[in-house]
Amino acid sequence: MKAIAQRTYGEARVLELTDVPKPVPRPGEVLLEVRAAGVDMGVWHVMAGRPYLGRLAFGLFKPHQPVRGMEVAGVVAAVGDQVTEFRPGDRVFGTGKGTFAEFSTAAPKRLARIPENVGFAQAAVSAISGVTALQALRAAPDAATVLVIGAGGGVGSFAVQMAKARGMRVTGVCSTGKVEFVRGLGADEVVDYTRSAPGEDLGGGTYDLILDIAGNRPLSVLRGALHPHGTLVIVGGEGGTSFFGGMSRNMVAAARSSRKGQRFTGLLSRTNARDLAELADAMADGRLVPAVDTAYPLAEAVRAVEHLRSGRAHGKVVLIPNAGSGA
Ligand SMILES: NC(=O)c1ccc[n+]([C@@H]2O[C@H](COP(=O)([O-])OP(=O)(O)OC[C@H]3O[C@@H](n4cnc5c(N)ncnc54)[C@H](OP(=O)(O)O)[C@@H]3O)[C@@H](O)[C@H]2O)c1
C-alpha cells in the first residue's frame, strides 16, 4: 500500500511517499481503510524528533514506527481476534498507528462511530485537536468566561466552538488574518494580538479560565489576566529548551500554582472512545463543525505538514489517501 514514511528525523522533507506492506491487525486491533488523516502538531514532533526528550519514546536515531500520522477517519476493513466493538464496514474515527497511509491499525478504545451526517475529513481532524479542547475545558467546568490563546489554530478552533456551546463567554486571541474566522467560530470578542503591545494583548479582562494553546507568553502576564480564583490550562507551545520543549513550561506552571487562589495546570490529552463519542454527538447535531482549512492528497504530505508548521492554517489540515473516495 502507499504510505508516508521517514527514515530519519528532520523537517517535513524527510517524509516520503513509499510502498509498505499493508498492516495486519493484531488481536484487539482493527484494520482501517483510511479515508482522511488529520495533520496535528504531534506528527511534527515525532517527525522532527523534537523535543529530544520524545526520542526516548519514539526512537533514539529514527522513529521506531516509520509511517507517520495519528488522527484518522475511515472504514473498518477487518477486525483482529477479541474485537467486539466494531465490524467491517463501520465508519469510525479516532487515533491509529501510521495513519498517513491507505490502511492503518487502531485500538477500539481509541475509536468511535462517525455520525451519518458527518464527513471523514471533519471527523479525522477532531480525534486529537477536538479531544484536547474538550479535556482542557473540563479543567474548569463552572467557568463562565474563557480566554482562548491560539484561537484560530487546530485546538483553538475546537475550543472556541465548544466553550460557546457550553454557554461560556469566549474571548479568542489570534493574529489579524484570523480575526473574522475566530468570530465566525462563535467568539464573543476577538483580540488581535499583533495590534497590541506585548503584555497588553489579552483583552484587559479577568477570565475564569485561560487556555494557553499558543504558549508564548510569560506566566506573569497570564496570571494578570486570570481571575483570582481562575484556572490556567497550559495546552501547548513550541518554545522551551530543545530537550524538554513545552514540558518545561508545564513544570514551572505546576510549581507556581496556588491551592487557594489561581490554579495552573498542564494538559497531556489522551484520545478515548467516550470523549470521541461526545464529539461525535456534538458534530451530529451541529453544535460542533470542525474547521478544515485545506485537504491535501496523501502524496502532498510534505506540503500539508509545512502548512501546519507555518501557523497559517485556519483550523486544521487534513490528508486524503484516495481523493475521490468521498472524504
Ligand atoms: N497538551 C496536549 O495534550 C496537546 C494536544 C494537542 C496539541 N498540543 C499543542 O498545542 C499547540 C497548538 O497545537 P495546534 O494543533 O492548535 O497548532 P496550530 O494549528 O498551529 O495552532 C496554533 C495557533 O497559535 C497561534 N499563535 C501563534 N502565536 C500566537 C500568539 N503570540 N498569540 C496567540 N496566538 C498565537 C497561531 O496562529 P496566529 O498567530 O496566526 O493567530 C495558530 O493558529 C502545539 O504546541 C501542540 O503541540 C498539546
Side-chain angles (χ1 to χ4, degrees), residues 41 45 128 132 149-150 152-155 173-175 178 193 213-214 216-217 235-238 267-269 308 311 315:
M41 205 54 92
H45 287 290
I128 293 176
T132 301
I149 304 175
V155 178
V173 181
C174 62
S175 63
K178 292 178 185 154
Y193 68 85
I213 301 166
N216 37 23
R217 285 173 181 76
V235 177
E238 296 300 312
L267 177 75
L268 196 56
S269 69
L308 168 76

Side-chain angles (χ1 to χ4, degrees), residues 46-76:
V46 182
M47 180 195 80
R50 301 220 319 258
Y52 295 128
L53 181 64
R55 297 190 186 197
L56 298 178
F58 309 136
L60 278 187
F61 304 108
K62 61 179 182 179
H64 301 306
Q65 152 68 276
V67 179
R68 288 282 59 75
M70 292 183 280
E71 289 186 318
V72 68
V75 178
V76 175

Side-chain angles (χ1 to χ4, degrees), residues 198-218:
E200 292 167 13
D201 56 353
L202 295 182
T206 58
Y207 303 91
D208 299 330
L209 174 63
I210 297 180
L211 305 185
D212 186 11
I213 301 166
N216 37 23
R217 285 173 181 76

